[in-house]
Amino acid sequence: MPRSESDVDVAPGPTERRALLGLIALAVVLRVAYLFEYATLPFWDGPLYDALVYLRQAEAVADGRHGDASLLAMSPLYGYFIAALGRAPVVVAVVQSAMGVATLVLAWRLARRYVPAPFGLVAPLALMGYGVVQFYESKLLSESLGLFLATTTLVVAEAARRRPAGGGRLLFLAGAVFGCAVLARASLLLLVPFVLLAEIPAADSLRVGLRRALLTGAGLFGVLAAHGGWTYAYTGHFVPVIFASSTAATTTHRTWDGNLPASDGSDRRASAFDVVAQAEARLAGEVSPARFNGLDPIGLVTGAPPKLARLFSDLERGFDYPYYGERSLSKSLAVLPLSFGTLLVAGLVGLYARWHRGLGRTLWPLLAFVVGVVALVVVFHPSTRYRLPLVVPLAVLSADAVAFLAGLAPRARALGFGVLGLATLVFSARLYTYTPARPGGLDRILATACRQAGDPICEAHHTARATRLEAGAPSP
């Protein structure tokens, strides 16, 4: 993509550089405060849900058991990541927080290509104000690593498009980085075709676009093929990412009610180890791979509208750690005022603004993430973890939105900022007044973490408090 009159020099001036450094310093302070607050909760000593599988992965890696079923059932690179950091939750959280700060800078770089100073700073501000990003940095979950690598992919690919010779090596590198992102967060696999196809309309010609898509794909599939060879050497199974599980067959079934039931047909809730058990069965040759690949086509179609409504709703939905509950316990998390609804509204305005400026071609790499997440949610289920890759494109486009509104005539500018400000106030009010459906839900989760940590006194305290809240009794 050659430079045009609409491109902006990304080199910051002294004022912008100081502002960016100030923003980085604020992000660091918030994260340090948050980690100190998080240390008072039992989750590092009593990890839950998927974190337990990732810890098993890290233990297997440390023991040299590279063919362990856990590494073939869930995002394998994250297990290696934890192992490299000594399996210490505190160290993992600190490193992921550092990656979160780096992601803010990458978002600024993406935005600054197309908006002048100081509007590029809107992107990292929007990303920093959305507390979910910081929330996942403290967890033994692969979201932060996946988001950092996916954002790096966008930055490297953008740099490649500006090279006179086409940036072939950079495109290959961008693909390789995204391949690592997929291995770090396997749900990103459904974004792969859209990320590659986005290179075609983003280019000046079909020939150039195809060449870029092929180079990016070479890097991406090279990484996945290397991982497949690695798994084959240890298990006799060529597994480029992970084994297919029964999850998609469940979430596309016409009778699916939005919950994740256990794969054994019982009434219990699904466990992260269910997919590990399925991988163990595959390794033992007890189950045919075809069992895990069946989708219900009718259920896929009829279930799409409610899934998409939840995907783009302002509420955060998860099957694991409680975001809203943790906001009530952490001042440094609660101070972050933005919700997904604000990012979505600003992102839509920014999308129109960039298209209006004749830069529609630059939108394709960002829209690839949006379309990919839509496909992911339609096949699986809407959750905060699955929609997290949307936040970087939305934050980047928020900078376009503010720059666009600032350039309008005075009356239109006042109206535009007024509407955006009102939307932000409404969504933030909903965020701060959110009432959990289960009053004792947070304490039940804390009690489970305390039990995992081997602290019966803490478990009893939270269990008793949950019982009081669920009975409608006031807390002492």
Side-chain angles (χ1 to χ4, degrees):
M1 183 186 306
R3 292 184 63 85
S4 70
E5 294 179 359
S6 299
D7 293 341
V8 179
D9 191 349
V10 78
T15 302
E16 186 180 12
R17 188 181 297 110
R18 285 193 294 269
L20 180 62
L21 290 175
L23 189 149
I24 292 171
L26 176 60
V28 170
V29 169
L30 284 170
R31 280 161 170 78
V32 170
Y34 171 57
L35 292 180
F36 273 105
E37 289 181 315
Y38 194 77
T40 65
L41 301 178
F43 296 128
W44 279 340
D45 292 324
L48 304 172
Y49 313 116
D50 290 13
L52 296 172
V53 176
Y54 289 130
L55 284 171
R56 171 171 160 174
Q57 287 183 341
E59 183 179 356
V61 170
D63 293 342
R65 294 181 285 109
H66 301 288
D68 189 80
S70 62
L71 291 165
L72 280 74
M74 286 173 52
S75 315
L77 185 61
Y78 193 65
Y80 284 89
F81 175 75
I82 296 177
L85 297 177
R87 291 175 284 173
V90 177
V91 176
V92 173
V94 170
V95 173
Q96 289 181 165
S97 297
M99 289 192 302
V101 175
T103 302
L104 300 182
V105 178
L106 294 174
W108 165 79
R109 190 171 182 85
L110 285 169
R112 190 63 172 79
R113 287 293 188 185
Y114 298 103
V115 298
F119 300 112
L121 294 171
V122 172
L125 277 172
L127 202 57
M128 183 172 66
Y130 181 54
V132 170
V133 175
Q134 185 170 292
F135 168 78
Y136 279 117
E137 291 167 5
S138 64
K139 311 293 184 289
L140 286 172
L141 296 174
S142 60
E143 272 61 35
S144 295
L145 178 59
L147 188 65
F148 171 71
L149 291 172
T151 308
T152 301
T153 300
L154 289 171
V155 172
V156 175
E158 175 70 19
R161 295 184 198 105
R162 294 169 180 276
R163 291 293 180 92
R169 292 181 180 178
L170 284 179
L171 285 168
F172 184 89
L173 175 61
V177 172
F178 196 71
C180 292
V182 171
L183 293 177
R185 184 68 182 121
S187 61
L188 294 175
L189 180 61
L190 269 72
L191 277 65
V192 166
F194 306 103
V195 169
L196 297 181
L197 290 174
E199 291 295 333
I200 298 174
D204 296 327
S205 67
L206 178 61
R207 182 184 64 82
V208 173
L210 287 172
R211 175 179 176 273
R212 290 175 175 171
L214 289 172
L215 285 168
T216 306
L220 194 157
F221 291 117
V223 168
L224 300 188
H227 178 258
W230 178 262
T231 61
Y232 185 81
Y234 282 94
T235 68
H237 293 265
F238 183 82
V239 186
V241 185
I242 58 174
F243 276 143
S245 72
S246 63
T247 304
T250 299
T251 54
T252 57
H253 199 276
R254 275 162 278 186
T255 61
W256 187 61
D257 61 0
N259 296 310
L260 291 179
S263 59
D264 58 8
S266 66
D267 294 333
R268 67 177 176 83
R269 182 182 175 182
S271 163
F273 282 95
D274 285 350
V275 293
V276 178
Q278 293 172 29
E280 288 173 337
R282 289 278 297 277
L283 288 174
E286 299 172 359
V287 181
S288 168
R291 172 182 168 183
F292 300 113
N293 298 330
L295 299 179
D296 182 345
I298 297 178
L300 187 72
V301 174
T302 59
K307 286 180 178 179
L308 293 179
R310 290 190 172 193
L311 169 64
F312 293 111
S313 75
D314 188 48
L315 295 179
E316 304 298 341
R317 292 179 171 86
F319 297 94
D320 40 46
Y321 295 90
Y323 172 63
Y324 292 114
E326 199 173 305
R327 279 181 64 92
S328 69
L329 302 175
S330 170
K331 293 180 180 179
S332 54
L333 194 60
V335 75
L336 302 176
L338 297 187
S339 69
F340 185 79
T342 302
L343 291 179
L344 183 60
V345 171
L348 289 173
V349 174
L351 188 151
Y352 168 79
R354 194 176 288 194
W355 174 82
H356 182 72
R357 291 170 58 202
L359 294 173
R361 189 181 294 167
T362 69
L363 291 169
W364 288 105
L366 302 178
L367 291 177
F369 278 60
V370 178
V371 178
V373 169
V374 166
L376 170 65
V377 164
V378 168
V379 173
F380 291 97
H381 56 81
S383 69
T384 294
R385 291 178 68 185
Y386 277 178
R387 79 177 181 188
L388 192 63
L390 291 178
V391 300
V392 169
L394 292 178
V396 170
L397 291 173
S398 295
D400 288 84
V402 174
F404 170 71
L405 295 177
L408 296 176
R411 183 173 297 181
R413 180 169 63 243
L415 177 62
F417 277 118
V419 171
L420 184 58
L422 178 61
T424 301
L425 286 175
V426 170
F427 288 126
S428 294
R430 290 189 65 191
L431 177 63
Y432 284 103
T433 58
Y434 175 82
T435 302
R438 297 173 57 224
L442 172 62
D443 282 282
R444 294 289 181 193
I445 294 173
L446 289 170
T448 303
C450 292
R451 182 168 64 252
Q452 286 285 113
D455 189 339
I457 296 176
C458 171
E459 179 187 1
H461 165 74
H462 286 291
T463 299
R465 189 171 187 275
T467 302
R468 288 194 302 270
L469 291 172
E470 290 164 352
S475 301

